[in-house]
Amino acid sequence: MGTSTVKDIAEKLNLSVATVSRAINNKEYVKEETRQRVLQALKEYNYVPNEIARSLKLQSTKTVAVIVPDICEAFFGKIIKGIERTIAYREYSIIVADTDEKKENEKRYLDMLFQKRIDALVFATVDLSGDYVKNYFSSFPIVFIDNIPELEDVDCVVIDNAKASRMAVEYLIERGHREIAVIIGSVKETTGYARREGYLDTLKQYEIPVDPDLIQYGNYKEDAGYRCMETLLKQRKEHPFTAVYVTCEMMTFGAIKAIHARGLRIPEDISLVGFDIQDRAKLIFPSITTVRQPESVIGRKVGELLLKRLDEKDSGKHTSEKILLEPYMEEGESVKPINGR
Amino acid sequence: MGTSTVKDIAEKLNLSVATVSRAINNKEYVKEETRQRVLQALKEYNYVPNEIARSLKLQSTKTVAVIVPDICEAFFGKIIKGIERTIAYREYSIIVADTDEKKENEKRYLDMLFQKRIDALVFATVDLSGDYVKNYFSSFPIVFIDNIPELEDVDCVVIDNAKASRMAVEYLIERGHREIAVIIGSVKETTGYARREGYLDTLKQYEIPVDPDLIQYGNYKEDAGYRCMETLLKQRKEHPFTAVYVTCEMMTFGAIKAIHARGLRIPEDISLVGFDIQDRAKLIFPSITTVRQPESVIGRKVGELLLKRLDEKDSGKHTSEKILLEPYMEEGESVKPINGR
DNA sequence: CTGAAAGCGCTAACAA
DNA sequence: TTGTTAGCGCTTTCAG
């Protein structure tokens, strides 16, 4: 399927390229008859616009990039789908980059994408300093998801992480739990910090004293979840707890394994609330009660914000937007109610 | 971070754009001293090449597209990562498109990507006729994965699906099973057809008679797996079986649910071998014995083939390559050995 | 070794 | 309403 150019068409029709271009782009000032002749010829000579040439001229590539730490996580997959669905009608397409959770790769991609002159970026960064990305703030609009770097005035779409913790902890408290352990990611990341705040606030609200030893910190990986849980289990005599709330997916898995490794059962011996657990097949046993994020909504909101920024393009400054979405609980069988005490 | 152009640099240095361009691209015929001055200036004036302009001139965008039915399936995610890793050093980047398993979307993307003048395509199609995609055969190299359309001379990287079935069935036979049911996707797709052949061949080899009623066909979705399993279970009196082999991921999940719904247990009542089951967290109980595909190897092979085709670019015709990779078994606890009969 | 100039395919003043 | 022309930023003959 070779293709022809505007010039080819113009020659065949004895028109100028300008007229053909106008006809193609449905611009004004083209006689209806001429337009029809052009449209006809486009088909006949198998014309497909060269988006590259157009990009060069218009200084816009109609391309949005999405950088994520791991494309295999369904969480990001769903968000990407949501974005795609939202911006597709405007003819934007998406370049996906997978950083493997590495800062070096973030840099590499940022440079590469700028060279490709993307129109906008959606960024789930692992570099909370934002040191490198801020070089690009003036180059194209950027919307952050998942983690927000410690920078002023950034656009982002995230869930209310404090609220997520509040929901999880209240869920447990309502079922009679008062000694609640928690496993948290780095408080240097927003996802870690806010989730801890929510936990602490809720305990305070219910006048439950905080035992610092019941708060364990990991690095979001499964191993860390395992180790944190082990620590909790070892010190359980001195620092008893009836339930544990794990604030991210992989650490939840690790924690569960650690519990099983000790020969303990969920929820009989320990109740557990997880985070971001997606059990498509409902095959995990026992099924996990978990905090969930509305991925498709996140995707849609990101898409909408993107389009807004794209339209504002150099039409002056704007204030940054922080869009907070609601997390929700998905109930499984991993929490056992405690009757009184 | 505004950027400057070749022209800007040339002016600052009182050179011609040609010389600057040569220096940038490490071409010959540039005095070493001049080159150094240019390189210096690039930094100073924050020059970043405009890949769009270069693409237009060079008629190559350094971009490879990957079209998959569902980006959320880890299977595709891993392949994409593998491709990415393999072609990144050559400065290619990847555009990912998610068709939601819909032919219309395949068309839409194919058109869009051609407009963007991608250099090559990796395609996991759901349209086995290949009717539409073949229009693009002359436009850019295409490597098929997962499913192969019924067309002559296509490049593809897939596992040996017949062998996959052979491994699964032999695994069962070696453990004493002789009455083995099977749930298969559409035989109009290569993944369905070849997997059935492997099943049939293996039975023949072991001189086990084939009971056609033990072969059920679905459409790759979870529902279908459920229904197929129900059918098998209903007719179990007349068509007994001790094990079932399900030939794709989602249908495996469906089948398991159907078994549980009947109050039967795996593997006590029925042994099961699945396909493509990825249980990252090892939380599925019982763990499933499954056929697996080496996703990263697939990705790497695809990447290598891609580079090869890209290098051949209009250096004449080539023959198509069909790269067959080895599947492997991942052992779980879903198969119970039967002792004699 | 360097520069002038053409041109990749397209859009958009400006002129006619 | 249509055509002429410049130019987006770059690479690459071809002359010097």
Side-chain angles (χ1 to χ4, degrees):
Chain A
M1 182 145 122
T3 188
S4 42
T5 69
V6 172
K7 197 170 156 219
D8 294 336
I9 304 288
E11 279 167 5
K12 306 277 184 194
L13 264 43
N14 263 316
L15 285 171
S16 71
V17 289
T19 305
V20 174
S21 174
R22 279 188 219 107
I24 291 175
N25 296 294
N26 265 303
K27 291 272 161 86
E28 296 177 306
Y29 308 125
V30 182
K31 207 202 298 175
E32 188 50 31
E33 186 210 322
T34 313
R35 186 190 305 281
Q36 290 311 327
R37 279 176 59 216
V38 172
L39 264 29
Q40 167 74 33
L42 295 186
K43 292 227 152 82
E44 191 170 340
Y45 297 103
N46 192 17
Y47 172 81
V48 179
N50 184 322
E51 200 51 48
I52 298 301
R54 191 179 251 163
S55 295
L56 181 59
K57 178 69 193 178
L58 301 186
Q59 303 286 50
S60 150
T61 52
K62 286 289 193 177
T63 305
V64 170
V66 183
I67 304 184
V68 297
D70 183 2
I71 201 190
C72 292
E73 285 186 28
F75 175 69
F76 292 117
K78 289 189 180 171
I79 292 180
I80 293 172
K81 282 190 164 202
I83 299 173
E84 214 288 323
R85 232 174 291 140
T86 316
I87 67 178
Y89 83 103
R90 291 277 295 273
E91 304 273 289
Y92 282 96
S93 54
I94 292 188
I95 289 189
V96 178
D98 179 318
T99 63
D100 239 356
E101 322 247 4
K102 301 207 183 75
K103 285 186 196 180
E104 316 85 272
N105 287 334
E106 291 191 346
K107 282 176 117 155
R108 213 166 48 77
Y109 277 120
L110 246 11
D111 290 341
M112 191 182 221
L113 294 169
F114 179 48
Q115 281 202 199
K116 297 225 164 176
R117 297 299 190 272
I118 54 168
D119 286 349
L121 173 67
V122 178
F123 197 5
T125 185
V126 296
D127 179 12
L128 271 288
S129 76
D131 281 342
Y132 198 71
V133 68
K134 70 180 168 216
N135 294 325
Y136 290 100
F137 279 1
S138 55
S139 304
F140 40 74
I142 303 180
V143 176
F144 289 91
I145 55 174
D146 199 38
N147 260 314
I148 315 171
E150 297 152 334
L151 299 168
E152 308 266 301
D153 295 328
V154 297
D155 280 324
C156 62
V157 179
V158 288
I159 57 157
D160 185 335
N161 281 297
K163 179 157 188 182
S165 284
R166 213 173 309 132
M167 290 170 68
V169 177
E170 277 186 346
Y171 182 94
L172 287 166
I173 292 176
E174 282 165 7
R175 279 154 190 78
H177 295 273
R178 293 183 61 85
E179 294 156 332
I180 301 170
V182 64
I183 298 178
I184 297 183
S186 163
V187 284
K188 283 160 70 185
E189 309 209 6
T190 44
T191 44
Y193 184 80
R195 288 173 197 174
R196 181 180 64 178
E197 289 308 293
Y199 166 83
L200 294 173
D201 287 353
T202 313
L203 289 195
K204 184 188 283 180
Q205 184 188 326
Y206 284 86
E207 296 178 347
I208 298 175
V210 174
D211 177 350
D213 286 293
L214 288 186
I215 306 179
Q216 295 293 322
Y217 300 95
N219 66 351
Y220 296 95
K221 305 260 170 82
E222 184 173 328
D223 285 1
Y226 191 96
R227 280 196 306 277
C228 289
M229 196 66 226
E230 268 190 326
T231 307
L232 287 169
L233 257 18
K234 271 186 208 139
Q235 55 174 35
R236 204 176 176 191
K237 276 244 175 63
E238 310 88 64
H239 304 282
F241 59 96
T242 58
V244 60
Y245 161 48
V246 194
T247 63
C248 68
E249 183 186 19
M250 294 318 288
M251 290 210 291
T252 304
F253 291 141
I256 292 173
K257 286 191 194 171
I259 292 173
H260 288 162
R262 281 247 166 173
L264 298 172
R265 289 156 310 161
I266 301 172
E268 290 81 354
D269 301 310
I270 294 177
S271 287
L272 179 144
V273 172
F275 213 105
D276 275 346
I277 304 297
Q278 305 203 27
D279 183 16
R280 250 184 327 163
K282 298 280 167 242
L283 251 31
I284 294 179
F285 179 82
S287 57
I288 309 295
T289 297
T290 181
V291 175
R292 287 289 308 271
Q293 308 189 44
E295 293 91 4
S296 358
V297 184
I298 295 180
R300 183 158 49 78
K301 291 289 181 190
V302 169
E304 288 165 1
L305 183 50
L306 237 26
L307 291 178
K308 184 167 160 190
R309 291 294 178 247
L310 255 7
D311 290 340
E312 287 167 358
K313 186 93 170 262
D314 48 52
S315 63
K317 274 275 60 59
H318 52 77
T319 49
S320 66
E321 255 179 67
K322 171 164 184 156
I323 298 182
L324 265 196
L325 262 25
E326 296 290 297
Y328 61 96
M329 298 286 295
E330 204 166 82
E331 195 161 17
E333 303 155 332
S334 62
V335 173
K336 187 184 73 167
I338 296 184
N339 307 319
R341 1 181 60 234
Chain B
M1 181 145 121
T3 187
S4 41
T5 69
V6 172
K7 195 170 158 218
D8 294 335
I9 305 288
E11 279 166 7
K12 306 277 186 196
L13 263 43
N14 262 317
L15 284 170
S16 71
V17 290
T19 305
V20 174
S21 174
R22 280 188 215 106
I24 291 174
N25 296 293
N26 265 302
K27 291 271 161 86
E28 296 176 306
Y29 307 124
V30 182
K31 208 202 299 177
E32 189 49 33
E33 186 211 320
T34 313
R35 184 189 306 282
Q36 290 311 329
R37 278 178 59 216
V38 173
L39 263 29
Q40 167 72 35
L42 294 187
K43 292 227 152 76
E44 191 170 340
Y45 297 104
N46 192 17
Y47 172 81
V48 179
N50 184 322
E51 199 53 46
I52 297 301
R54 193 179 247 163
S55 294
L56 182 59
K57 180 69 194 176
L58 267 17
Q59 302 286 50
S60 150
T61 52
K62 288 287 193 177
T63 305
V64 169
V66 183
I67 304 184
V68 296
D70 183 2
I71 203 190
C72 292
E73 284 187 29
F75 174 70
F76 293 117
K78 289 189 180 172
I79 292 180
I80 293 172
K81 282 192 162 198
I83 300 172
E84 214 288 321
R85 232 175 290 141
T86 317
I87 67 178
Y89 83 103
R90 290 277 296 275
E91 304 272 290
Y92 283 96
S93 54
I94 292 188
I95 289 189
V96 178
D98 180 317
T99 63
D100 239 355
E101 321 249 3
K102 302 207 183 74
K103 285 186 197 178
E104 316 83 273
N105 287 335
E106 291 192 346
K107 283 176 114 158
R108 211 166 49 78
Y109 277 120
L110 246 12
D111 290 342
M112 190 182 221
L113 294 169
F114 179 48
Q115 282 201 201
K116 297 225 163 171
R117 297 299 191 270
I118 53 169
D119 286 349
L121 172 67
V122 178
F123 197 6
T125 185
V126 295
D127 179 11
L128 271 287
S129 76
D131 281 341
Y132 198 72
V133 68
K134 70 181 170 218
N135 294 325
Y136 291 100
F137 279 2
S138 56
S139 304
F140 41 73
I142 302 180
V143 176
F144 289 91
I145 55 174
D146 199 39
N147 261 313
I148 315 170
E150 297 153 332
L151 298 168
E152 308 267 302
D153 296 328
V154 297
D155 279 324
C156 62
V157 180
V158 288
I159 57 158
D160 184 335
N161 282 297
K163 180 159 186 181
S165 286
R166 213 174 307 132
M167 290 169 68
V169 177
E170 277 185 346
Y171 181 95
L172 288 166
I173 292 176
E174 282 165 7
R175 280 155 189 77
H177 295 273
R178 292 183 60 84
E179 294 156 332
I180 302 170
V182 64
I183 297 177
I184 297 183
S186 162
V187 284
K188 282 159 71 185
E189 308 208 7
T190 45
T191 44
Y193 185 80
R195 288 173 196 174
R196 181 179 64 178
E197 289 308 292
Y199 166 82
L200 294 173
D201 287 352
T202 313
L203 290 194
K204 186 188 281 182
Q205 185 189 328
Y206 284 86
E207 296 178 348
I208 297 175
V210 173
D211 177 350
D213 285 294
L214 288 186
I215 306 179
Q216 295 293 324
Y217 300 94
N219 67 351
Y220 296 95
K221 304 260 170 81
E222 184 172 329
D223 285 0
Y226 192 96
R227 280 195 307 276
C228 288
M229 195 67 224
E230 268 191 327
T231 307
L232 287 169
L233 257 18
K234 270 186 208 141
Q235 56 172 38
R236 203 177 177 192
K237 275 245 175 63
E238 311 88 63
H239 304 282
F241 59 96
T242 59
V244 60
Y245 161 46
V246 193
T247 64
C248 69
E249 183 185 19
M250 294 318 289
M251 290 210 292
T252 304
F253 292 141
I256 293 174
K257 286 191 196 170
I259 293 173
H260 288 162
R262 282 247 165 174
L264 298 173
R265 290 155 311 159
I266 301 172
E268 291 81 353
D269 302 309
I270 294 177
S271 287
L272 179 145
V273 173
F275 214 105
D276 276 345
I277 304 298
Q278 304 202 28
D279 182 16
R280 253 183 327 166
K282 298 280 166 240
L283 251 31
I284 294 179
F285 179 81
S287 57
I288 309 295
T289 297
T290 180
V291 176
R292 288 289 308 272
Q293 307 190 45
E295 294 90 5
S296 358
V297 184
I298 295 179
R300 182 159 50 77
K301 291 289 181 188
V302 169
E304 287 164 2
L305 184 49
L306 236 26
L307 291 178
K308 185 167 157 190
R309 293 291 178 248
L310 255 6
D311 291 339
E312 287 166 0
K313 186 92 170 264
D314 49 50
S315 63
K317 274 276 61 57
H318 52 76
T319 50
S320 66
E321 255 179 69
K322 172 167 182 152
I323 299 182
L324 265 196
L325 262 24
E326 297 289 297
Y328 61 97
M329 297 287 294
E330 205 166 81
E331 196 162 15
E333 304 154 333
S334 61
V335 173
K336 188 183 72 166
I338 297 185
N339 307 318
R341 350 186 65 233

